[in-house]
Amino acid sequence: NILTITLEDGGTQTVDFSTVLAAAGTDDQALTLATGNILTLEDGGIVDLTPFLDNTDDQAITASLDNTSNILTITLEDGGTQTVDLSELSETVVAGTGAITVVDDGNGNYTVNSTDPDESITNEVNTALGSSANTLTVT
């Protein structure tokens, strides 16, 4: 609480603010956010915070899908885009300990793999195999 002033001639002057600061006290008030955007001070007084709010970011969002590349593009009205590569998506369906997996290669082709989802060894018998007009039939 001591202020020291250095003079041009090299001397110093000190001022003791201890008694001044002690007499001034403190203004330790509780603050409360009252109704809406009004900040209320414990010992009286209010501050309206409304001018400081920024509620102006009401942008429209559009999305477009390029079916050739499976790229989803999301665009904000005021600028900025985000792209998502959907060709990397795959899905796995689990039944018991078996699973059916469907994988999209990104070109509209899907590969289906199965590891006996019904866990039965008695229904894996092929009784007929045939083909007609480029169609393979397995019964």
Side-chain angles (χ1 to χ4, degrees):
N1 296 328
I2 304 290
L3 172 65
T4 302
I5 302 171
T6 304
L7 305 173
E8 280 184 355
D9 65 3
T12 60
Q13 180 69 41
T14 60
V15 179
D16 185 354
F17 281 101
S18 298
T19 55
V20 175
L21 293 174
T26 63
D27 192 16
D28 58 348
Q29 297 189 48
L31 303 175
T32 306
L33 187 59
T35 305
N37 302 310
I38 304 298
L39 185 66
T40 304
L41 286 71
E42 178 182 33
D43 292 340
I46 62 170
V47 178
D48 185 358
L49 300 174
T50 304
F52 301 104
L53 297 177
D54 181 12
N55 294 330
T56 60
D57 199 17
D58 57 349
Q59 297 187 45
I61 298 174
T62 57
S64 61
L65 175 63
D66 180 337
N67 289 321
T68 304
S69 63
N70 281 337
I71 300 292
L72 176 66
T73 302
I74 302 166
T75 306
L76 299 175
E77 176 183 23
D78 292 342
T81 60
Q82 180 67 46
T83 58
V84 179
D85 184 356
L86 300 177
S87 64
E88 300 297 322
L89 298 178
S90 65
E91 180 179 323
T92 301
V93 178
V94 178
T97 59
I100 298 173
T101 304
V102 180
V103 179
D104 179 1
D105 71 358
N107 297 314
N109 301 311
Y110 296 88
T111 304
V112 179
N113 298 306
S114 174
T115 56
D116 195 19
D118 64 0
E119 299 178 349
S120 171
I121 60 170
T122 62
N123 63 357
E124 312 305 330
V125 179
N126 296 325
T127 58
L129 179 65
S131 68
S132 172
N134 295 326
T135 302
L136 176 64
T137 306
V138 178
T139 306

